[in-house]
Amino acid sequence: MSSMADRDPELNAAARETAATANSPAETSNRSRWRLPLMLLVPLVLIVAGGAWWWLNAGTVSTDNAYVQQDMVSISPEVSGRIAEVLVDENDTVRAGDLLFRIDPEPFRIALASAEAELAAAKVNVESLTATSEGTSVDIAAAREDIRFAADQFERQQALLDRGFTTRTGFESAQHDLQQARERLRNAEAAQRSASAPLGKGGGTTYPAIAAAQARVDEARLNLKRTEIHAPHDGRIAQTDRLQVGQQIVSGVPAVSIVKEGRSWIEANFKETDLARMLPGQPATVEIDAYPGLELTGHVESLGAGTGSEFSLLPAQNATGNWVKVTQRVPIRIALDEASPRPLIAGLSVDVSVDVSGDGEAAKSVRPRQPQRPGSSTAQEAPAELASAGHARR
């Protein structure tokens, strides 16, 4: 107990000494002296950093609303039927002309055989009509011979009647025979026209019945050929979910897609407020989210013809009382100037920065030329251009 009491005064003295030291006027003065510079330093650092960032990015515009684009073709069959064979799988690489899938050809072979039978029947019918027409030609010749004979008999009877060596009954009988012969000729000619009408070529070189049957044969043969669907170009297979053996497929409905490889571009949707200094040909930098650290170079190939909202399924109608102005996005096409070491997949997200500090030679080369007014010439415009150049130097 005595030892604890002896040490308490020592502890109390040390505590009082420490408090005195901490609350000394010198220490308080030092704190006050550094407090204000520290308070001013933080905003100053922020201002300097913001100014540096603005200075470095003053000549560029960027967006992260950009995506890799590639040519994509949806393959649709031209005939309907049941899928009999599938020769490709998802993500397979194909070459132009490769067989993708086959539709059951049996119904189309039957249709082709039927069309060929119709063609043969049409040829037989034409031959029959031709024979009938040729038979009427014989009847016409016989009718003309009967007319010639009846005319001779009529003339003979008329001469005998004038001389009184025949009766009027004989004369009238000869006249009747001549009239009947002429009627038979008219009937034969009408029969010939009736038999020749189905054979009429209408100014062509083929009988219409045979031409129509041949067209049906060609159509059936083409439909049979269309049961085999081939790749229109090189690429990779995608969206094969509907491509199943035994599934009924309808013509015109997409069954599979092919993404064309070897040609990629970037579609960057910039704000309309970023387009003031943007021109085709300006250099661009592309960073792909899927490949950190990969940076590709490119250039502005073209500016979109309309904003995204204009090409949407339901364009916005702003003629309302509740109109709110929304900054529009314009699709900008960025062409890549180099091949990517990593595969570019359609739809990948990218960040695009465009250097708008200068026009660039490419931009100058693609800039449309202003039409000259009538009566103007290069010599007349040269002084104005020199004056503007001198003003710029001053």
Side-chain angles (χ1 to χ4, degrees), residues 85-89 92 94-103 225-232 237 243 258:
E85 185 180 7
V86 178
L87 293 91
V88 293
D89 292 324
D92 282 354
V94 296
R95 299 297 179 187
D98 288 351
L99 181 62
L100 303 180
F101 62 96
R102 182 182 288 110
I103 297 175
K225 182 179 179 181
R226 286 172 173 173
T227 58
E228 295 184 350
I229 291 82
H230 298 265
I237 298 296
L243 208 59
I258 297 181

PDB file of all heavy atoms in Angstrom, residues 85-89 92 94-103 225-232 237 243 258:
ATOM      1  N   GLU A  85     -31.234 -33.093 -93.040  1.00  0.00           N
ATOM      2  CA  GLU A  85     -29.821 -33.259 -92.680  1.00  0.00           C
ATOM      3  C   GLU A  85     -29.233 -31.898 -92.327  1.00  0.00           C
ATOM      4  O   GLU A  85     -29.506 -30.906 -92.998  1.00  0.00           O
ATOM      5  CB  GLU A  85     -29.055 -33.899 -93.840  1.00  0.00           C
ATOM      6  CG  GLU A  85     -27.613 -34.221 -93.516  1.00  0.00           C
ATOM      7  CD  GLU A  85     -26.895 -34.862 -94.701  1.00  0.00           C
ATOM      8  OE1 GLU A  85     -27.501 -34.917 -95.796  1.00  0.00           O
ATOM      9  OE2 GLU A  85     -25.748 -35.290 -94.533  1.00  0.00           O
ATOM     10  N   VAL A  86     -28.419 -31.873 -91.270  1.00  0.00           N
ATOM     11  CA  VAL A  86     -27.713 -30.666 -90.830  1.00  0.00           C
ATOM     12  C   VAL A  86     -26.229 -30.976 -90.794  1.00  0.00           C
ATOM     13  O   VAL A  86     -25.802 -31.951 -90.172  1.00  0.00           O
ATOM     14  CB  VAL A  86     -28.200 -30.196 -89.447  1.00  0.00           C
ATOM     15  CG1 VAL A  86     -27.413 -28.978 -88.995  1.00  0.00           C
ATOM     16  CG2 VAL A  86     -29.693 -29.885 -89.485  1.00  0.00           C
ATOM     17  N   LEU A  87     -25.433 -30.156 -91.455  1.00  0.00           N
ATOM     18  CA  LEU A  87     -24.007 -30.417 -91.578  1.00  0.00           C
ATOM     19  C   LEU A  87     -23.136 -29.416 -90.833  1.00  0.00           C
ATOM     20  O   LEU A  87     -21.905 -29.466 -90.956  1.00  0.00           O
ATOM     21  CB  LEU A  87     -23.596 -30.437 -93.056  1.00  0.00           C
ATOM     22  CG  LEU A  87     -24.155 -31.600 -93.886  1.00  0.00           C
ATOM     23  CD1 LEU A  87     -25.472 -31.242 -94.536  1.00  0.00           C
ATOM     24  CD2 LEU A  87     -23.161 -32.041 -94.942  1.00  0.00           C
ATOM     25  N   VAL A  88     -23.714 -28.477 -90.084  1.00  0.00           N
ATOM     26  CA  VAL A  88     -22.926 -27.482 -89.362  1.00  0.00           C
ATOM     27  C   VAL A  88     -23.409 -27.400 -87.933  1.00  0.00           C
ATOM     28  O   VAL A  88     -24.550 -27.767 -87.615  1.00  0.00           O
ATOM     29  CB  VAL A  88     -23.028 -26.094 -90.032  1.00  0.00           C
ATOM     30  CG1 VAL A  88     -22.367 -26.085 -91.388  1.00  0.00           C
ATOM     31  CG2 VAL A  88     -24.483 -25.652 -90.142  1.00  0.00           C
ATOM     32  N   ASP A  89     -22.520 -26.944 -87.062  1.00  0.00           N
ATOM     33  CA  ASP A  89     -22.837 -26.703 -85.658  1.00  0.00           C
ATOM     34  C   ASP A  89     -22.528 -25.258 -85.319  1.00  0.00           C
ATOM     35  O   ASP A  89     -21.916 -24.519 -86.105  1.00  0.00           O
ATOM     36  CB  ASP A  89     -22.039 -27.637 -84.751  1.00  0.00           C
ATOM     37  CG  ASP A  89     -22.479 -29.089 -84.892  1.00  0.00           C
ATOM     38  OD1 ASP A  89     -23.691 -29.306 -85.082  1.00  0.00           O
ATOM     39  OD2 ASP A  89     -21.615 -29.986 -84.838  1.00  0.00           O
ATOM     40  N   ASP A  92     -19.126 -23.057 -86.062  1.00  0.00           N
ATOM     41  CA  ASP A  92     -18.300 -23.680 -87.101  1.00  0.00           C
ATOM     42  C   ASP A  92     -17.870 -22.638 -88.126  1.00  0.00           C
ATOM     43  O   ASP A  92     -18.593 -21.684 -88.412  1.00  0.00           O
ATOM     44  CB  ASP A  92     -19.082 -24.791 -87.809  1.00  0.00           C
ATOM     45  CG  ASP A  92     -19.132 -26.062 -86.994  1.00  0.00           C
ATOM     46  OD1 ASP A  92     -18.467 -26.123 -85.947  1.00  0.00           O
ATOM     47  OD2 ASP A  92     -19.852 -27.003 -87.404  1.00  0.00           O
ATOM     48  N   VAL A  94     -17.100 -21.895 -91.989  1.00  0.00           N
ATOM     49  CA  VAL A  94     -17.497 -22.419 -93.300  1.00  0.00           C
ATOM     50  C   VAL A  94     -16.900 -21.553 -94.394  1.00  0.00           C
ATOM     51  O   VAL A  94     -16.512 -20.399 -94.163  1.00  0.00           O
ATOM     52  CB  VAL A  94     -19.037 -22.468 -93.444  1.00  0.00           C
ATOM     53  CG1 VAL A  94     -19.630 -23.439 -92.446  1.00  0.00           C
ATOM     54  CG2 VAL A  94     -19.647 -21.081 -93.274  1.00  0.00           C
ATOM     55  N   ARG A  95     -16.832 -22.135 -95.572  1.00  0.00           N
ATOM     56  CA  ARG A  95     -16.366 -21.430 -96.758  1.00  0.00           C
ATOM     57  C   ARG A  95     -17.537 -21.231 -97.715  1.00  0.00           C
ATOM     58  O   ARG A  95     -18.552 -21.917 -97.632  1.00  0.00           O
ATOM     59  CB  ARG A  95     -15.261 -22.231 -97.459  1.00  0.00           C
ATOM     60  CG  ARG A  95     -14.028 -22.461 -96.608  1.00  0.00           C
ATOM     61  CD  ARG A  95     -13.356 -21.157 -96.260  1.00  0.00           C
ATOM     62  NE  ARG A  95     -12.176 -21.349 -95.422  1.00  0.00           N
ATOM     63  CZ  ARG A  95     -11.491 -20.340 -94.880  1.00  0.00           C
ATOM     64  NH1 ARG A  95     -11.890 -19.101 -95.086  1.00  0.00           N
ATOM     65  NH2 ARG A  95     -10.438 -20.584 -94.126  1.00  0.00           N
ATOM     66  N   ALA A  96     -17.377 -20.277 -98.604  1.00  0.00           N
ATOM     67  CA  ALA A  96     -18.442 -19.995 -99.571  1.00  0.00           C
ATOM     68  C   ALA A  96     -18.730 -21.245-100.399  1.00  0.00           C
ATOM     69  O   ALA A  96     -17.820 -21.871-100.942  1.00  0.00           O
ATOM     70  CB  ALA A  96     -18.041 -18.833-100.471  1.00  0.00           C
ATOM     71  N   GLY A  97     -19.996 -21.629-100.470  1.00  0.00           N
ATOM     72  CA  GLY A  97     -20.402 -22.797-101.235  1.00  0.00           C
ATOM     73  C   GLY A  97     -20.561 -24.057-100.418  1.00  0.00           C
ATOM     74  O   GLY A  97     -21.068 -25.059-100.937  1.00  0.00           O
ATOM     75  N   ASP A  98     -20.122 -24.046 -99.150  1.00  0.00           N
ATOM     76  CA  ASP A  98     -20.278 -25.237 -98.318  1.00  0.00           C
ATOM     77  C   ASP A  98     -21.754 -25.511 -98.054  1.00  0.00           C
ATOM     78  O   ASP A  98     -22.557 -24.588 -97.867  1.00  0.00           O
ATOM     79  CB  ASP A  98     -19.542 -25.064 -96.985  1.00  0.00           C
ATOM     80  CG  ASP A  98     -18.038 -25.122 -97.142  1.00  0.00           C
ATOM     81  OD1 ASP A  98     -17.579 -25.469 -98.248  1.00  0.00           O
ATOM     82  OD2 ASP A  98     -17.316 -24.812 -96.174  1.00  0.00           O
ATOM     83  N   LEU A  99     -22.115 -26.805 -98.013  1.00  0.00           N
ATOM     84  CA  LEU A  99     -23.497 -27.207 -97.737  1.00  0.00           C
ATOM     85  C   LEU A  99     -23.775 -27.053 -96.249  1.00  0.00           C
ATOM     86  O   LEU A  99     -23.052 -27.599 -95.410  1.00  0.00           O
ATOM     87  CB  LEU A  99     -23.730 -28.653 -98.183  1.00  0.00           C
ATOM     88  CG  LEU A  99     -25.133 -29.217 -97.986  1.00  0.00           C
ATOM     89  CD1 LEU A  99     -26.144 -28.419 -98.790  1.00  0.00           C
ATOM     90  CD2 LEU A  99     -25.179 -30.683 -98.381  1.00  0.00           C
ATOM     91  N   LEU A 100     -24.817 -26.300 -95.904  1.00  0.00           N
ATOM     92  CA  LEU A 100     -25.173 -26.055 -94.511  1.00  0.00           C
ATOM     93  C   LEU A 100     -26.193 -27.073 -94.019  1.00  0.00           C
ATOM     94  O   LEU A 100     -25.994 -27.732 -93.007  1.00  0.00           O
ATOM     95  CB  LEU A 100     -25.729 -24.638 -94.355  1.00  0.00           C
ATOM     96  CG  LEU A 100     -24.816 -23.497 -94.821  1.00  0.00           C
ATOM     97  CD1 LEU A 100     -25.495 -22.158 -94.613  1.00  0.00           C
ATOM     98  CD2 LEU A 100     -23.482 -23.540 -94.105  1.00  0.00           C
ATOM     99  N   PHE A 101     -27.310 -27.196 -94.709  1.00  0.00           N
ATOM    100  CA  PHE A 101     -28.318 -28.186 -94.344  1.00  0.00           C
ATOM    101  C   PHE A 101     -29.137 -28.527 -95.575  1.00  0.00           C
ATOM    102  O   PHE A 101     -29.069 -27.853 -96.612  1.00  0.00           O
ATOM    103  CB  PHE A 101     -29.210 -27.689 -93.192  1.00  0.00           C
ATOM    104  CG  PHE A 101     -30.012 -26.452 -93.511  1.00  0.00           C
ATOM    105  CD1 PHE A 101     -31.319 -26.545 -93.948  1.00  0.00           C
ATOM    106  CD2 PHE A 101     -29.457 -25.195 -93.353  1.00  0.00           C
ATOM    107  CE1 PHE A 101     -32.057 -25.418 -94.236  1.00  0.00           C
ATOM    108  CE2 PHE A 101     -30.190 -24.050 -93.640  1.00  0.00           C
ATOM    109  CZ  PHE A 101     -31.492 -24.160 -94.082  1.00  0.00           C
ATOM    110  N   ARG A 102     -29.907 -29.609 -95.448  1.00  0.00           N
ATOM    111  CA  ARG A 102     -30.675 -30.108 -96.584  1.00  0.00           C
ATOM    112  C   ARG A 102     -32.121 -30.338 -96.157  1.00  0.00           C
ATOM    113  O   ARG A 102     -32.381 -30.913 -95.091  1.00  0.00           O
ATOM    114  CB  ARG A 102     -30.066 -31.399 -97.109  1.00  0.00           C
ATOM    115  CG  ARG A 102     -30.776 -31.971 -98.327  1.00  0.00           C
ATOM    116  CD  ARG A 102     -30.166 -33.275 -98.792  1.00  0.00           C
ATOM    117  NE  ARG A 102     -28.865 -33.059 -99.432  1.00  0.00           N
ATOM    118  CZ  ARG A 102     -27.705 -33.417 -98.908  1.00  0.00           C
ATOM    119  NH1 ARG A 102     -27.671 -33.997 -97.712  1.00  0.00           N
ATOM    120  NH2 ARG A 102     -26.576 -33.191 -99.550  1.00  0.00           N
ATOM    121  N   ILE A 103     -33.049 -29.905 -96.986  1.00  0.00           N
ATOM    122  CA  ILE A 103     -34.483 -30.142 -96.786  1.00  0.00           C
ATOM    123  C   ILE A 103     -34.862 -31.419 -97.520  1.00  0.00           C
ATOM    124  O   ILE A 103     -34.295 -31.738 -98.576  1.00  0.00           O
ATOM    125  CB  ILE A 103     -35.294 -28.932 -97.280  1.00  0.00           C
ATOM    126  CG1 ILE A 103     -34.939 -27.688 -96.452  1.00  0.00           C
ATOM    127  CG2 ILE A 103     -36.781 -29.192 -97.200  1.00  0.00           C
ATOM    128  CD1 ILE A 103     -35.598 -26.422 -96.940  1.00  0.00           C
ATOM    129  N   LYS A 225     -33.424 -28.143-106.444  1.00  0.00           N
ATOM    130  CA  LYS A 225     -32.061 -27.663-106.186  1.00  0.00           C
ATOM    131  C   LYS A 225     -32.002 -26.819-104.918  1.00  0.00           C
ATOM    132  O   LYS A 225     -31.000 -26.832-104.182  1.00  0.00           O
ATOM    133  CB  LYS A 225     -31.575 -26.855-107.392  1.00  0.00           C
ATOM    134  CG  LYS A 225     -30.153 -26.351-107.263  1.00  0.00           C
ATOM    135  CD  LYS A 225     -29.752 -25.580-108.516  1.00  0.00           C
ATOM    136  CE  LYS A 225     -28.317 -25.051-108.385  1.00  0.00           C
ATOM    137  NZ  LYS A 225     -27.922 -24.273-109.591  1.00  0.00           N
ATOM    138  N   ARG A 226     -33.082 -26.090-104.636  1.00  0.00           N
ATOM    139  CA  ARG A 226     -33.095 -25.223-103.463  1.00  0.00           C
ATOM    140  C   ARG A 226     -33.243 -25.979-102.143  1.00  0.00           C
ATOM    141  O   ARG A 226     -33.193 -25.364-101.077  1.00  0.00           O
ATOM    142  CB  ARG A 226     -34.242 -24.213-103.590  1.00  0.00           C
ATOM    143  CG  ARG A 226     -33.971 -23.107-104.604  1.00  0.00           C
ATOM    144  CD  ARG A 226     -35.198 -22.250-104.841  1.00  0.00           C
ATOM    145  NE  ARG A 226     -34.892 -21.099-105.678  1.00  0.00           N
ATOM    146  CZ  ARG A 226     -35.802 -20.255-106.155  1.00  0.00           C
ATOM    147  NH1 ARG A 226     -37.099 -20.457-105.870  1.00  0.00           N
ATOM    148  NH2 ARG A 226     -35.443 -19.236-106.906  1.00  0.00           N
ATOM    149  N   THR A 227     -33.461 -27.282-102.204  1.00  0.00           N
ATOM    150  CA  THR A 227     -33.513 -28.055-100.964  1.00  0.00           C
ATOM    151  C   THR A 227     -32.140 -28.168-100.309  1.00  0.00           C
ATOM    152  O   THR A 227     -32.045 -28.546 -99.138  1.00  0.00           O
ATOM    153  CB  THR A 227     -34.068 -29.458-101.236  1.00  0.00           C
ATOM    154  OG1 THR A 227     -33.254 -30.116-102.219  1.00  0.00           O
ATOM    155  CG2 THR A 227     -35.503 -29.380-101.737  1.00  0.00           C
ATOM    156  N   GLU A 228     -31.081 -27.847-101.023  1.00  0.00           N
ATOM    157  CA  GLU A 228     -29.733 -27.817-100.468  1.00  0.00           C
ATOM    158  C   GLU A 228     -29.327 -26.356-100.281  1.00  0.00           C
ATOM    159  O   GLU A 228     -29.254 -25.600-101.246  1.00  0.00           O
ATOM    160  CB  GLU A 228     -28.744 -28.532-101.387  1.00  0.00           C
ATOM    161  CG  GLU A 228     -29.014 -30.024-101.517  1.00  0.00           C
ATOM    162  CD  GLU A 228     -27.968 -30.730-102.345  1.00  0.00           C
ATOM    163  OE1 GLU A 228     -27.146 -30.016-102.979  1.00  0.00           O
ATOM    164  OE2 GLU A 228     -27.950 -31.974-102.371  1.00  0.00           O
ATOM    165  N   ILE A 229     -29.076 -25.978 -99.032  1.00  0.00           N
ATOM    166  CA  ILE A 229     -28.758 -24.584 -98.705  1.00  0.00           C
ATOM    167  C   ILE A 229     -27.261 -24.485 -98.483  1.00  0.00           C
ATOM    168  O   ILE A 229     -26.690 -25.187 -97.625  1.00  0.00           O
ATOM    169  CB  ILE A 229     -29.544 -24.111 -97.458  1.00  0.00           C
ATOM    170  CG1 ILE A 229     -31.034 -23.998 -97.786  1.00  0.00           C
ATOM    171  CG2 ILE A 229     -29.024 -22.756 -96.994  1.00  0.00           C
ATOM    172  CD1 ILE A 229     -31.804 -25.278 -97.723  1.00  0.00           C
ATOM    173  N   HIS A 230     -26.614 -23.601 -99.237  1.00  0.00           N
ATOM    174  CA  HIS A 230     -25.166 -23.437 -99.199  1.00  0.00           C
ATOM    175  C   HIS A 230     -24.807 -22.080 -98.595  1.00  0.00           C
ATOM    176  O   HIS A 230     -25.616 -21.152 -98.592  1.00  0.00           O
ATOM    177  CB  HIS A 230     -24.574 -23.555-100.605  1.00  0.00           C
ATOM    178  CG  HIS A 230     -24.800 -24.899-101.248  1.00  0.00           C
ATOM    179  ND1 HIS A 230     -23.874 -25.911-101.198  1.00  0.00           N
ATOM    180  CD2 HIS A 230     -25.872 -25.391-101.939  1.00  0.00           C
ATOM    181  CE1 HIS A 230     -24.347 -26.970-101.837  1.00  0.00           C
ATOM    182  NE2 HIS A 230     -25.555 -26.676-102.304  1.00  0.00           N
ATOM    183  N   ALA A 231     -23.569 -21.986 -98.122  1.00  0.00           N
ATOM    184  CA  ALA A 231     -23.080 -20.736 -97.531  1.00  0.00           C
ATOM    185  C   ALA A 231     -22.798 -19.727 -98.635  1.00  0.00           C
ATOM    186  O   ALA A 231     -22.113 -20.048 -99.614  1.00  0.00           O
ATOM    187  CB  ALA A 231     -21.809 -20.991 -96.722  1.00  0.00           C
ATOM    188  N   PRO A 232     -23.301 -18.501 -98.511  1.00  0.00           N
ATOM    189  CA  PRO A 232     -23.054 -17.493 -99.554  1.00  0.00           C
ATOM    190  C   PRO A 232     -21.638 -16.920 -99.510  1.00  0.00           C
ATOM    191  O   PRO A 232     -21.151 -16.406-100.510  1.00  0.00           O
ATOM    192  CB  PRO A 232     -24.101 -16.414 -99.252  1.00  0.00           C
ATOM    193  CG  PRO A 232     -24.370 -16.551 -97.787  1.00  0.00           C
ATOM    194  CD  PRO A 232     -24.215 -18.005 -97.458  1.00  0.00           C
ATOM    195  N   ILE A 237     -20.670 -19.822 -88.222  1.00  0.00           N
ATOM    196  CA  ILE A 237     -22.077 -20.146 -88.044  1.00  0.00           C
ATOM    197  C   ILE A 237     -22.554 -19.652 -86.682  1.00  0.00           C
ATOM    198  O   ILE A 237     -21.853 -19.777 -85.674  1.00  0.00           O
ATOM    199  CB  ILE A 237     -22.307 -21.652 -88.177  1.00  0.00           C
ATOM    200  CG1 ILE A 237     -21.928 -22.120 -89.580  1.00  0.00           C
ATOM    201  CG2 ILE A 237     -23.744 -22.012 -87.874  1.00  0.00           C
ATOM    202  CD1 ILE A 237     -22.777 -21.529 -90.669  1.00  0.00           C
ATOM    203  N   LEU A 243     -32.179 -24.973 -86.224  1.00  0.00           N
ATOM    204  CA  LEU A 243     -31.689 -25.915 -87.225  1.00  0.00           C
ATOM    205  C   LEU A 243     -31.606 -27.306 -86.605  1.00  0.00           C
ATOM    206  O   LEU A 243     -30.552 -27.741 -86.135  1.00  0.00           O
ATOM    207  CB  LEU A 243     -30.312 -25.458 -87.724  1.00  0.00           C
ATOM    208  CG  LEU A 243     -29.923 -25.862 -89.144  1.00  0.00           C
ATOM    209  CD1 LEU A 243     -30.925 -25.322 -90.143  1.00  0.00           C
ATOM    210  CD2 LEU A 243     -28.531 -25.365 -89.473  1.00  0.00           C
ATOM    211  N   ILE A 258     -24.746 -16.339 -90.567  1.00  0.00           N
ATOM    212  CA  ILE A 258     -23.312 -16.437 -90.837  1.00  0.00           C
ATOM    213  C   ILE A 258     -22.699 -15.065 -90.587  1.00  0.00           C
ATOM    214  O   ILE A 258     -23.126 -14.074 -91.186  1.00  0.00           O
ATOM    215  CB  ILE A 258     -23.029 -16.894 -92.273  1.00  0.00           C
ATOM    216  CG1 ILE A 258     -23.578 -18.310 -92.497  1.00  0.00           C
ATOM    217  CG2 ILE A 258     -21.541 -16.867 -92.570  1.00  0.00           C
ATOM    218  CD1 ILE A 258     -23.315 -18.842 -93.879  1.00  0.00           C
TER     219      ILE A 258
END
